[in-house]
């Protein structure tokens, strides 16, 4: 592999994004018309600093950044993307961020409370068993004792193994402090309870307080690894593995997987200075042709059937006269059939009506026979009764007449009772409504007395007058419906005198309000004057802040210049040291001079830092004094206002 090429593959900013379909086809890329004949990147410069090309060479630069580096979504046809290696001492950038100019996941995560029973011994045993089984199944040898009371190194080894299983390209540093990497890695992996973890727990991993939470972290990582493994072996189209694509496919992810495989291989060939991709064009054509074989066979079969049907249709169309006669005969027979159906329906309706009428007449005959039998029985009974009473016909007629008169009188009385009952009910409703209205009026009257301070005991000089009223709806005497003093003689004059006293008090309060308004206007004018003075002081403070900012910017610029000079001197010092090693001790004087210059620059930077800090402290002190002075003026104004 050519070591002079740039590093071309960078992780995507979104680890779950899949922009394969948006990668330009290498066959559409044209050479840039530049004098140096370099291939320029269509996606912009790489995020990492490129390796400078060797003079008198023709390096090819990056076509694009990597658009799919998620281990769950990337193509599985090749283990790596970039053809140009990074420095041997730098690990490939992680998809979750950290180094290489990459962006990490969003920091605005919702803070969730860990509801898992981490302190439960049974739950801890179950988590420990899950972690033990997964690590041993994956080839990481560990004992159950190590998961019961682990050491810091063992916990870090397990943690690093699980993290690299989830993201093999995560930039874990072996020489870095575990406390510095633990929380950022959990946040990068979206651990929902990372905000509850304290890095101080890593000092004593096996302590009774910290181990349940740290064991919960391992168990969560193990579950995540299991989910990742299940997903990778599920053969789901979103994995976009060309090897798992069936011969016949219609899923958009399958199309994207083939497209990305073609773009990857074509881009690899383009990096090798091959601008023709005939091989992979043919492979893709054969792949899609194989996909369309069954459909093409079905299409041919349907086309053959269509041709046969057309031939038969033309043959039948040749005998048009016979078909026309048959069609006419068929239409005539269908009309006759329709007429017969209508006649049949009409006779069926007539039959149903006759059946219903016969049934009705039979029922009427039966009912008449029953009524006749009942009348005969009643006549016989009445005849026997008359014979037993031995009454004359005149007496019978008189008794019937009296019975009819009594029946009519009874009906008249029942009607009058019903009308009277209806009238009583309406009057009861009216009385109930009016009693409810009176009770509401008395409640409003009592609430008004309470709001005016006249209930339960009125103020002087009406302390002996009881203004309360009660409704006695059970009383039959209208004069006793209201329980209390006489309204006309006692309550109304008392309320009139109370109203007169309240009017006098209101007039006095209005006069006092006018005086207070005048004083308030005076205070408002004084406040406006003080606001004007405060604005002036704020302008002065802003000017002081601007001066402090200018001074800070100047000191920062000088510090940057000094830092650049120090870096240059460090490079010269390194070069001088190398030259001293190769040329002997003849350059010690130059090395010492560079060291003195470097020390002077360091001292200059320190002095600038101290001056900047002093200036910031001075401005901060002036701002604090200004705020204290403003607070003092506001406090004096408040005390003056309260005193007035």
């Amino acid at each position: 592999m050519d070591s002079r090429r740039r590093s071309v593959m960078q992780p995507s900013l979104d680890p779950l994004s899949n922009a394969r379909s948006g990668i330009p086809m290498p066959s559409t890329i044209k050479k840039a018309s530049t004098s140096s004949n370099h291939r320029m990147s269509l996606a912009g410069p790489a995020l990492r600093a490129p390796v400078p090309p060797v003079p008198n060479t023709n390096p090819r630069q990056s076509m694009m950044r990597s658009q799919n580096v998620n281990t769950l979504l990337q193509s599985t046809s090749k283990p790596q993307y970039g053809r140009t290696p990074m420095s041997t001492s730098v690990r490939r950038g992680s998809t979750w961020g950290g180094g290489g100019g990459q962006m990490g996941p969003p920091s605005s995560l919702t803070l969730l409370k860990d509801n898992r029973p981490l302190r439960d011994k049974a739950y801890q045993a179950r988590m420990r068993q899950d972690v033990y089984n997964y690590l041993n199944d994956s080839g990481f040898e560990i004992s159950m004792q190590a998961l019961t009371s682990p050491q810091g190194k063992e916990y870090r080894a397990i943690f690093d193994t699980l993290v690299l299983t989830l993201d093999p390209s995560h930039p874990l540093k072996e020489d870095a402090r575990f406390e510095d990497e633990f929380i950022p890695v959990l946040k990068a992996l979206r651990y929902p309870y990372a905000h509850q973890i304290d890095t101080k727990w890593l000092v004593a991993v096996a302590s009774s307080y910290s181990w349940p939470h740290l064991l919960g972290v391992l168990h969560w990582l193990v579950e995540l690894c299991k989910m990742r493994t299940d997903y990778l072996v599920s053969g789901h189209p979103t994995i976009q593995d060309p090897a798992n694509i069936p011969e016949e496919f219609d899923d958009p992810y399958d199309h994207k997987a083939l497209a990305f495989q073609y773009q990857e291989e074509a881009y690899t060939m383009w990096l090798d200075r091959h601008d023709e991709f005939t091989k992979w064009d043919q492979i893709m054509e054969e792949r899609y042709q194989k996909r369309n074989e069954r459909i093409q066979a079905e299409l041919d079969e349907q086309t053959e059937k269509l041709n046969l049907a057309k031939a038969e249709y033309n043959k039948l169309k040749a005998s048009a006269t016979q078909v026309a006669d048959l069609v006419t005969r068929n239409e005539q027979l269908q009309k006759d059939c329709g007429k017969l159906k209508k006649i049949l329906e009409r006779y069926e309706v007539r039959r149903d009506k006759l059946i219903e009428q016969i049934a009705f007449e039979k029922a009427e005959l039966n009912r008449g026979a029953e009524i006749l039998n009942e009348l005969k029985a009643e006549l016989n009974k009445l005849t026997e009764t008359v014979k037993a009473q031995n009454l004359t016909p005149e007496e019978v007629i008189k008794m019937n007449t009296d019975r009819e008169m009594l029946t009519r009188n009874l009906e008249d009385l029942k009607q009058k009772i019903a009308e009277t009952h209806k009238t009583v009910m309406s009057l009861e409703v009216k009385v109930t409504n009016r009693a409810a209205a009176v009770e509401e009026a008395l409640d409003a009257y009592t609430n008004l007395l309470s709001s005016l301070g006249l209930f339960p005991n009125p103020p002087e000089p009406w302390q002996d007058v009881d203004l309360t009223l009660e409704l006695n709806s059970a009383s039959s005497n209208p004069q006793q419906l209201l329980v209390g003093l006489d309204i006309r003689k006692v309550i109304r004059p008392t309320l009139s005198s109370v109203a007169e006293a309240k009017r006098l008090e209101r007039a006095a309060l209005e006069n006092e309000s006018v005086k207070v308004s005048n004083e308030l206007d005076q205070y408002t004018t004084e406040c406006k004057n003080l606001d004007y003075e405060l604005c002036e002081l704020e302008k002065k403070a802003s000017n002081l802040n601007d001066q402090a900012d200018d001074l800070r910017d100047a000191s920062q610029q000088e510090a940057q210049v000094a830092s650049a000079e120090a870096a240059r001197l460090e490079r010269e010092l390194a070069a001088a040291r190398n030259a001293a090693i190769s040329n002997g001790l003849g350059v010690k004087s130059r090395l010492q001079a560079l060291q003195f210059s470097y020390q002077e620059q360091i001292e200059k930077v320190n002095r600038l830092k101290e001056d900047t800090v002093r200036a910031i402290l001075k401005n901060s002190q002036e701002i604090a004094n200004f705020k204290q002075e403003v607070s003092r003026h506001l406090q004096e104004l408040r005390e003056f206002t309260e005193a007035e």
Side-chain angles (χ1 to χ4, degrees), residues 428-443:
E428 286 182 356
V429 171
K430 291 182 180 179
V431 169
T432 304
N433 293 334
R434 290 184 179 180
V438 172
E439 288 180 355
E440 291 178 358
L442 290 178
D443 291 338

Side-chain angles (χ1 to χ4, degrees), residues 262-273:
Y262 172 79
Q263 294 161 5
E264 181 184 14
E265 298 296 339
Y267 185 64
T268 303
M269 296 174 64
W270 183 80
L271 290 175
D272 292 332
R273 298 185 178 89

